[in-house]
Amino acid sequence: MAKSPVKSERFIEALMIVCSLISVLTTIGIILVLSIDTVKFFAEVSIIDFITDLEWTPLFEDQHFGILPLLSGTILTTLIATLLAVPVGVSIAVYLNEYASKKFTAAVKPILEVLAAIPTVVYGFFALQFVTPLLQTFIPGLAGFNALSPGIVMGIMIIPYITSLSEDALRAVPKGLREASYGLGANKLQTAFRVIVPAASSGIIVSIILAISRALGETMIVAIAAGQQPNLTLNPLEPVETITTYIVQVSMGDVPQDSLEYRTIFAAGITLFAFTFLLNNISFWIQKKYQNRYD
């Protein structure tokens, strides 16, 4: 006997609720795992020292637990990647949507998206073996390990995220806006950057948020090419260490579990989580502001 439509709809609704709860429960589980050991960590280390100390040496005899060196390395490499990827990615999206033929766009987009499928360890060795020596020919004082090289390569890696999503957002803009702009005497360049890009700004911002989040969580590129030296600096020519790199360094090392040194990775992890959460909320507010303005 066939199921009634009402029972089928209830089953599908229940299935969708379960699927929705999976992501919520997963997030709660991650927060709990990080929080339990982080609370134990701060029972031994002052949170004031964690926030204000300018050194991070938990694995040395003279221990310091200031997160600022790791945070500055994370921000520096992400900033370099964002400054490269955003203008390049958005410009490519505008060209593919407004200037290129449909055949050219159909051929180029899959090639761009292949960049996102390359293993990050390959990007890391590319940064170390090719980009860094190339930069040293223009910057003689550049160290073998530095923040600039992995930042540039991370920017190359996240370009497909920005390009693909931004191009979809630009394509969704109604043709009437283009025609109205041309009717007022604007040329194609003016229409693209003064009409179409602002109208698609909410989608473009979403692509930038995704790209920044991807760069913040990147590990292998900075682990290979940045130097793994916790250094409180905003100089891209110096070696740095990011939060994710330190977590991998301790997790794969000889640090005994349930020790103070091991719990540092949970404190660092929850700091990255809180930083990303704050960034996403700020970006969400900006997105809603532009969406309300142009929708």
Side-chain angles (χ1 to χ4, degrees):
M1 185 176 179
K3 293 183 179 180
S4 65
V6 175
K7 290 183 178 180
S8 298
E9 288 183 5
R10 288 178 179 174
F11 173 76
I12 293 173
E13 182 179 354
L15 182 62
M16 294 174 66
I17 292 173
V18 171
C19 292
S20 301
L21 288 175
I22 290 175
S23 60
V24 176
L25 294 175
T26 301
T27 303
I28 294 174
I30 292 172
I31 295 174
L32 287 175
V33 169
L34 292 174
S35 299
I36 292 171
D37 281 278
T38 300
V39 170
K40 294 179 181 178
F41 171 80
F42 285 120
E44 300 182 57
V45 177
S46 169
I47 191 172
I48 302 299
D49 292 339
F50 183 75
I51 297 173
T52 60
D53 197 333
L54 303 183
E55 294 185 39
W56 178 263
T57 57
L59 306 181
F60 291 80
E61 184 176 353
D62 182 20
Q63 292 184 320
H64 290 270
F65 298 94
I67 195 65
L68 290 179
L70 297 183
L71 195 58
S72 68
T74 303
I75 294 173
L76 179 58
T77 53
T78 301
L79 181 62
I80 294 170
T82 304
L83 290 176
L84 171 65
V86 170
V88 173
V90 173
S91 298
I92 293 174
V94 170
Y95 175 77
L96 293 178
N97 189 71
E98 299 296 321
Y99 291 89
S101 64
K102 292 183 178 180
K103 290 184 178 180
F104 182 82
T105 301
V108 169
K109 280 194 70 174
I111 297 175
L112 284 172
E113 291 171 358
V114 166
L115 291 174
I118 297 176
T120 56
V121 66
V122 176
Y123 276 117
F125 282 108
F126 174 70
L128 181 64
Q129 300 294 332
F130 179 78
V131 178
T132 296
L134 180 63
L135 291 174
Q136 286 174 333
T137 60
F138 301 99
I139 311 173
L142 182 65
F145 295 104
N146 57 82
L148 182 60
S149 176
I152 291 173
V153 174
M154 278 201 303
I156 295 172
M157 180 190 68
I158 63 177
I159 283 175
Y161 294 92
I162 297 176
T163 298
S164 182
L165 294 177
S166 297
E167 202 271 337
D168 292 338
L170 293 169
R171 193 173 298 279
V173 175
K175 292 183 179 180
L177 285 177
R178 294 176 175 85
E179 295 172 356
S181 178
Y182 294 143
L184 291 173
N187 58 34
K188 182 168 281 191
L189 183 64
Q190 292 171 330
T191 300
F193 286 98
R194 295 188 180 182
V195 178
I196 306 304
V197 170
S201 58
S202 59
I204 294 174
I205 291 173
V206 168
S207 70
I208 295 173
I209 295 170
L210 176 62
I212 292 175
S213 299
R214 180 68 183 84
L216 280 172
E218 175 51 38
T219 304
M220 291 309 301
I221 296 176
V222 287
I224 294 173
Q228 299 187 25
Q229 298 181 31
N231 185 14
L232 181 58
T233 180
L234 292 178
N235 184 356
L237 307 183
E238 297 181 7
V240 296
E241 184 173 33
T242 65
I243 293 176
T244 53
T245 302
Y246 175 76
I247 292 173
V248 171
Q249 177 187 355
V250 174
S251 300
M252 303 299 290
D254 299 325
V255 178
Q257 293 192 14
D258 205 32
S259 63
L260 176 62
E261 292 80 6
Y262 187 78
R263 293 193 189 109
T264 57
I265 66 176
F266 295 94
I270 205 166
T271 301
L272 182 61
F273 179 86
F275 189 78
T276 305
F277 181 78
L278 178 63
L279 176 64
N280 286 344
N281 276 275
I282 293 173
S283 302
F284 178 77
W285 175 79
I286 295 174
Q287 176 196 356
K288 294 297 292 184
K289 179 181 178 180
Y290 278 94
Q291 194 171 18
N292 293 334
R293 180 178 177 182
Y294 291 104
D295 285 356

